[in-house]
Structures are given as C-alpha cells and as structure tokens.
Amino acid sequence: MKPILLQGHERSITQIKYNREGDLLFTVAKDPIVNVWYSVNGERLGTYMGHTGAVWCVDADWDTKHVLTGSADNSCRLWDCETGKQLALLKTNSAVRTCGFDFGGNIIMFSTDKQMGYQCFVSFFDLRDPSQIDSNEPYMKIPCNDSKITSAVWGPLGECVIAGHESGELNQYSAKSGEVLVNVKEHSRQINDIQLSRDMTMFVTASKDNTAKLFDSTTLEHQKTFRTERPVNSAALSPNYDHVVLGGGQEAMDVTTTSTRIGKFEARFFHLAFEEEFGRVKGHFGPINSVAFHPDGKSYSSGGGDGYVRIHYFDPQYFEFEFEA
C-alpha cells in the first residue's frame, strides 16, 4: 500500500507521536507549528498556534484531553486537544528539549537545555495545583550538571524519569525525591531518542554512535544492540511483533548528494531478539528524525529532514522489503 504523505510543516520534523488509541498523530518540527492528524487517512485535524520558535517535543496524555509541547522559544505549553486552546504557558530560561505526561496525566515533566549560561534542569509540575502553573514554580527541579539531557521519558508507573544525555549516559531519576536511582553508560555519543515498549518493561535508545540499544526499564540493564553505519536519530519498538524500526542518516549539513541511496535515508527494520536487519523502506529525501509505531502495530510513521511525515501501512508477515544489491 502506498504511504500516506503528510505535508504540514515547512522545516524538518523534530518529533512525531501517536496518542494511546492511535487515531491521532501529533507532529512538531523546526517551525512554530504543532499539527494533529487523523492517522487512518492523513487528514489534518488542526494546529496548535502560539509558539514562536522551533518545537522540539510533543506529548498527549492518557485520554488525549491535553497536549504538551516544548519549544526553543523558552516555553512549555499545555493545550486543550479538542479545541486547540492554550491552557498553560510555562516559561523557562532556555529551550525545552523533552516533555511528557506521566501515566495519570496529572504530572508533567520537561527538561531544558544547557545554554546561555543556564544549567540543564528537569522540572516537574502537578497540573492539579493551579498555583504551580500561575507562579511558574515546579514542585521539583532536578539540576543536571555534567551533560545536558537530549531525550527523556517517564518510566513505568510514573515512578521515575529515564533520561539520555549528550555524553551517552542514561540516568533514572526518582519522580518523588529527584535523586539518581540508576546510572549507566552504554553509548559512546549523544542519545537522540528513547522510546518505551507497549508494556513499559523495556525501552530502546537511538544514538549518534551508530547504534540503537535495548534496555530493561527498571534496572537499566543493557539487553540488545542494533548496529548501523550511520547516526541513529530515532528508534521504536513494535507493539505486537519482535521488531525494531530505526531511522537516521547523516546530518542534513553533511548531505552533499540528493540521492536517497547515497544518503541512506531508509527506515531500517531489525529483529528484536536476533539483532539482525531484515528489511528497509525508502522514502525520505533527508535524514529520518523521528519514527513511531501505531499502537496496533499495523503501521508506522516516520518524520524526515525534508519536512514530510509518512505513514506506512504493512502486514509484517508479508512485508516486501528492499535490500541493498
């Protein structure tokens, strides 16, 4: 089946995310627009307007009532999903790199960049307490001295936050006390993306060191490694098959040719257990910056440096892959 092409951004995609049911797909890019689409047919539902800089991250809560976005305009914003109304504006001292709702949708977490003399922080707000929003004072703020956080997700049951750093380190921060519970360093370079499995027992990291790795989400024990020959920008775990999809490619500034083959802008599929690649899907005219599986596992989406988002439908059992000659 031909992929559905979503054209709603002028700049390269930074993150794409499905809601829990998978009927909606949220996309953000290096332009100020936040788009939401029907994933079944690629129809654009609407936009969330308000940001004035590149938007780095997006998340929807459990029942898709609220949407959270973090941007380089030094703000994290909370939106009403249905109406597009801005519900809260949280100002920061530097760009917001990652953001996320916890399991219940009551507590939000976001991390800010280390820039302009400001430290990297992870901030926690409780949305049930309006005074925190009004005063812009989080109930907990974890400083991150060594290396800035480049990707972060909520751990299982909202008890901790798993953060990947520029140095390649992984930290597990307690959401109650803010202390570092576990620290591991399996990657040698920056961690670009972290995505949990459907049951939250495992997560996959994507790194600039040309690998994606699988970890246990409670102990951070390293389980598998998926090796490529180019930086991995994003990786996602299939909810119903033992498959991992990797998206990457050279940095846009290193791309001197327009050939998709030379730039290697394919989505690559690996077997979770055997760590071997079994297929590739071409498509983007630029590096793939974000990949996500639909919660039913029957399709996946990829957002590229070309500003397009593609939704690919497939049945993994009969997937016609194309291999290098």
Side-chain angles (χ1 to χ4, degrees), residues 263-289:
K264 289 198 163 61
F265 302 131
E266 303 114 329
R268 307 172 68 151
F269 283 76
F270 283 78
H271 194 283
L272 188 69
F274 304 124
E275 302 181 355
E276 55 193 31
E277 187 180 356
F278 62 86
R280 299 184 179 190
V281 182
K282 281 197 301 191
H284 287 280
F285 287 93
I288 294 173
N289 294 335

Short mmCIF file of all heavy atoms in Angstrom, two decimals, residues 263-289:
data_model
loop_
_atom_site.label_atom_id
_atom_site.label_comp_id
_atom_site.label_asym_id
_atom_site.label_seq_id
_atom_site.Cartn_x
_atom_site.Cartn_y
_atom_site.Cartn_z
N GLY A 263 22.62 8.84 0.60
CA GLY A 263 22.40 9.39 1.93
C GLY A 263 21.86 8.36 2.90
O GLY A 263 21.83 8.60 4.08
N LYS A 264 21.41 7.23 2.36
CA LYS A 264 20.86 6.14 3.18
C LYS A 264 19.71 6.62 4.06
O LYS A 264 19.76 6.51 5.28
CB LYS A 264 21.95 5.52 4.05
CG LYS A 264 22.97 4.72 3.27
CD LYS A 264 23.73 3.81 4.23
CE LYS A 264 24.46 2.70 3.52
NZ LYS A 264 25.47 3.15 2.57
N PHE A 265 18.69 7.18 3.43
CA PHE A 265 17.56 7.68 4.21
C PHE A 265 16.42 6.67 4.26
O PHE A 265 15.30 6.97 3.92
CB PHE A 265 17.08 9.01 3.63
CG PHE A 265 18.15 10.05 3.57
CD1 PHE A 265 18.39 10.77 2.42
CD2 PHE A 265 18.94 10.30 4.67
CE1 PHE A 265 19.39 11.72 2.37
CE2 PHE A 265 19.95 11.25 4.63
CZ PHE A 265 20.17 11.96 3.47
N GLU A 266 16.74 5.44 4.61
CA GLU A 266 15.68 4.45 4.73
C GLU A 266 15.36 4.21 6.21
O GLU A 266 16.19 4.45 7.06
CB GLU A 266 16.12 3.10 4.13
CG GLU A 266 16.54 3.19 2.69
CD GLU A 266 18.01 2.88 2.53
OE1 GLU A 266 18.79 3.17 3.46
OE2 GLU A 266 18.37 2.36 1.48
N ALA A 267 14.13 3.73 6.40
CA ALA A 267 13.80 3.20 7.73
C ALA A 267 14.27 1.75 7.72
O ALA A 267 14.08 1.04 6.75
CB ALA A 267 12.30 3.27 7.97
N ARG A 268 14.95 1.34 8.78
CA ARG A 268 15.54 0.01 8.81
C ARG A 268 14.89 -0.83 9.89
O ARG A 268 14.71 -0.37 11.02
CB ARG A 268 17.04 0.12 9.07
CG ARG A 268 17.70 1.08 8.08
CD ARG A 268 19.12 1.35 8.44
NE ARG A 268 19.96 0.19 8.28
CZ ARG A 268 21.25 0.26 7.97
NH1 ARG A 268 21.81 1.42 7.76
NH2 ARG A 268 21.97 -0.83 7.86
N PHE A 269 14.55 -2.07 9.53
CA PHE A 269 13.87 -2.96 10.47
C PHE A 269 14.84 -4.03 10.97
O PHE A 269 15.52 -4.67 10.17
CB PHE A 269 12.67 -3.63 9.79
CG PHE A 269 11.50 -2.71 9.66
CD1 PHE A 269 11.48 -1.72 8.70
CD2 PHE A 269 10.43 -2.82 10.53
CE1 PHE A 269 10.41 -0.85 8.60
CE2 PHE A 269 9.35 -1.96 10.44
CZ PHE A 269 9.34 -0.97 9.47
N PHE A 270 14.89 -4.19 12.29
CA PHE A 270 15.74 -5.20 12.92
C PHE A 270 14.87 -6.15 13.72
O PHE A 270 13.81 -5.76 14.22
CB PHE A 270 16.74 -4.53 13.87
CG PHE A 270 17.91 -3.88 13.19
CD1 PHE A 270 17.77 -2.65 12.58
CD2 PHE A 270 19.15 -4.50 13.17
CE1 PHE A 270 18.85 -2.05 11.95
CE2 PHE A 270 20.23 -3.90 12.54
CZ PHE A 270 20.08 -2.68 11.93
N HIS A 271 15.35 -7.39 13.85
CA HIS A 271 14.65 -8.34 14.72
C HIS A 271 15.12 -8.10 16.15
O HIS A 271 16.31 -8.00 16.42
CB HIS A 271 14.94 -9.78 14.31
CG HIS A 271 14.01 -10.76 14.95
ND1 HIS A 271 14.15 -11.15 16.26
CD2 HIS A 271 12.90 -11.38 14.47
CE1 HIS A 271 13.17 -11.99 16.56
NE2 HIS A 271 12.40 -12.15 15.50
N LEU A 272 14.16 -8.01 17.05
CA LEU A 272 14.44 -7.65 18.44
C LEU A 272 15.38 -8.65 19.11
O LEU A 272 16.31 -8.27 19.82
CB LEU A 272 13.12 -7.58 19.21
CG LEU A 272 13.18 -7.04 20.63
CD1 LEU A 272 13.50 -5.57 20.64
CD2 LEU A 272 11.86 -7.27 21.34
N ALA A 273 15.14 -9.93 18.89
CA ALA A 273 15.90 -10.96 19.59
C ALA A 273 17.23 -11.26 18.91
O ALA A 273 18.26 -11.40 19.56
CB ALA A 273 15.08 -12.24 19.71
N PHE A 274 17.21 -11.33 17.57
CA PHE A 274 18.41 -11.78 16.85
C PHE A 274 19.32 -10.62 16.44
O PHE A 274 20.41 -10.85 15.89
CB PHE A 274 18.01 -12.60 15.62
CG PHE A 274 17.14 -13.77 15.98
CD1 PHE A 274 15.89 -13.94 15.39
CD2 PHE A 274 17.57 -14.69 16.92
CE1 PHE A 274 15.09 -15.02 15.74
CE2 PHE A 274 16.77 -15.77 17.26
CZ PHE A 274 15.53 -15.93 16.67
N GLU A 275 18.88 -9.40 16.66
CA GLU A 275 19.67 -8.19 16.39
C GLU A 275 20.08 -8.04 14.92
O GLU A 275 21.03 -7.35 14.60
CB GLU A 275 20.95 -8.16 17.26
CG GLU A 275 20.68 -8.22 18.74
CD GLU A 275 21.96 -8.17 19.56
OE1 GLU A 275 23.05 -8.17 18.96
OE2 GLU A 275 21.88 -8.11 20.79
N GLU A 276 19.37 -8.75 14.01
CA GLU A 276 19.79 -8.63 12.62
C GLU A 276 18.75 -7.89 11.80
O GLU A 276 17.55 -7.97 12.05
CB GLU A 276 20.08 -10.01 12.02
CG GLU A 276 18.93 -10.98 12.13
CD GLU A 276 19.40 -12.41 11.81
OE1 GLU A 276 20.58 -12.74 12.09
OE2 GLU A 276 18.58 -13.18 11.30
N GLU A 277 19.26 -7.17 10.80
CA GLU A 277 18.39 -6.37 9.95
C GLU A 277 17.70 -7.27 8.95
O GLU A 277 18.31 -8.15 8.36
CB GLU A 277 19.25 -5.33 9.21
CG GLU A 277 18.42 -4.34 8.42
CD GLU A 277 19.27 -3.31 7.70
OE1 GLU A 277 20.49 -3.32 7.87
OE2 GLU A 277 18.69 -2.53 6.95
N PHE A 278 16.38 -7.06 8.77
CA PHE A 278 15.69 -7.90 7.79
C PHE A 278 14.95 -7.08 6.74
O PHE A 278 14.31 -7.64 5.87
CB PHE A 278 14.72 -8.87 8.48
CG PHE A 278 13.61 -8.20 9.25
CD1 PHE A 278 12.44 -7.82 8.62
CD2 PHE A 278 13.74 -7.97 10.61
CE1 PHE A 278 11.42 -7.21 9.32
CE2 PHE A 278 12.72 -7.37 11.33
CZ PHE A 278 11.55 -6.99 10.67
N GLY A 279 15.05 -5.77 6.79
CA GLY A 279 14.37 -5.01 5.74
C GLY A 279 14.60 -3.52 5.85
O GLY A 279 15.00 -3.01 6.90
N ARG A 280 14.36 -2.83 4.71
CA ARG A 280 14.49 -1.37 4.68
C ARG A 280 13.34 -0.79 3.88
O ARG A 280 12.86 -1.42 2.95
CB ARG A 280 15.78 -0.95 3.99
CG ARG A 280 17.02 -1.46 4.68
CD ARG A 280 18.27 -0.94 4.01
NE ARG A 280 19.40 -1.45 4.77
CZ ARG A 280 20.65 -1.06 4.58
NH1 ARG A 280 20.93 -0.18 3.66
NH2 ARG A 280 21.62 -1.56 5.31
N VAL A 281 12.95 0.40 4.23
CA VAL A 281 11.92 1.10 3.48
C VAL A 281 12.45 2.47 3.11
O VAL A 281 12.81 3.26 3.98
CB VAL A 281 10.62 1.24 4.29
CG1 VAL A 281 9.55 1.92 3.46
CG2 VAL A 281 10.13 -0.11 4.74
N LYS A 282 12.49 2.73 1.81
CA LYS A 282 12.95 4.04 1.34
C LYS A 282 11.82 5.05 1.44
O LYS A 282 10.67 4.70 1.66
CB LYS A 282 13.39 3.92 -0.12
CG LYS A 282 14.75 3.31 -0.28
CD LYS A 282 15.32 3.56 -1.65
CE LYS A 282 14.43 3.02 -2.75
NZ LYS A 282 15.09 3.03 -4.06
N GLY A 283 12.17 6.30 1.23
CA GLY A 283 11.08 7.28 1.23
C GLY A 283 11.53 8.72 1.38
O GLY A 283 11.25 9.54 0.53
N HIS A 284 12.28 9.02 2.42
CA HIS A 284 12.55 10.43 2.71
C HIS A 284 13.73 10.97 1.93
O HIS A 284 14.71 10.28 1.68
CB HIS A 284 12.81 10.61 4.21
CG HIS A 284 11.58 10.50 5.03
ND1 HIS A 284 10.69 11.52 5.17
CD2 HIS A 284 11.07 9.47 5.75
CE1 HIS A 284 9.69 11.14 5.94
NE2 HIS A 284 9.90 9.88 6.30
N PHE A 285 13.61 12.25 1.54
CA PHE A 285 14.71 12.95 0.88
C PHE A 285 15.47 13.76 1.92
O PHE A 285 15.67 14.96 1.79
CB PHE A 285 14.17 13.87 -0.22
CG PHE A 285 13.71 13.11 -1.41
CD1 PHE A 285 12.38 12.73 -1.53
CD2 PHE A 285 14.60 12.75 -2.41
CE1 PHE A 285 11.95 12.00 -2.62
CE2 PHE A 285 14.17 12.02 -3.51
CZ PHE A 285 12.84 11.64 -3.62
N GLY A 286 15.87 13.11 2.96
CA GLY A 286 16.57 13.76 4.06
C GLY A 286 16.60 12.76 5.20
O GLY A 286 15.88 11.76 5.17
N PRO A 287 17.44 12.99 6.20
CA PRO A 287 17.52 12.04 7.29
C PRO A 287 16.18 11.88 8.01
O PRO A 287 15.40 12.82 8.05
CB PRO A 287 18.58 12.64 8.23
CG PRO A 287 18.82 14.02 7.77
CD PRO A 287 18.34 14.14 6.37
N ILE A 288 15.92 10.69 8.53
CA ILE A 288 14.70 10.46 9.31
C ILE A 288 14.98 10.89 10.75
O ILE A 288 15.90 10.40 11.38
CB ILE A 288 14.28 8.98 9.25
CG1 ILE A 288 13.88 8.61 7.81
CG2 ILE A 288 13.12 8.70 10.20
CD1 ILE A 288 13.61 7.13 7.61
N ASN A 289 14.19 11.85 11.23
CA ASN A 289 14.44 12.39 12.57
C ASN A 289 13.59 11.73 13.65
O ASN A 289 13.94 11.78 14.83
CB ASN A 289 14.15 13.90 12.59
CG ASN A 289 15.13 14.66 11.73
OD1 ASN A 289 16.25 14.21 11.50
ND2 ASN A 289 14.71 15.81 11.22
#
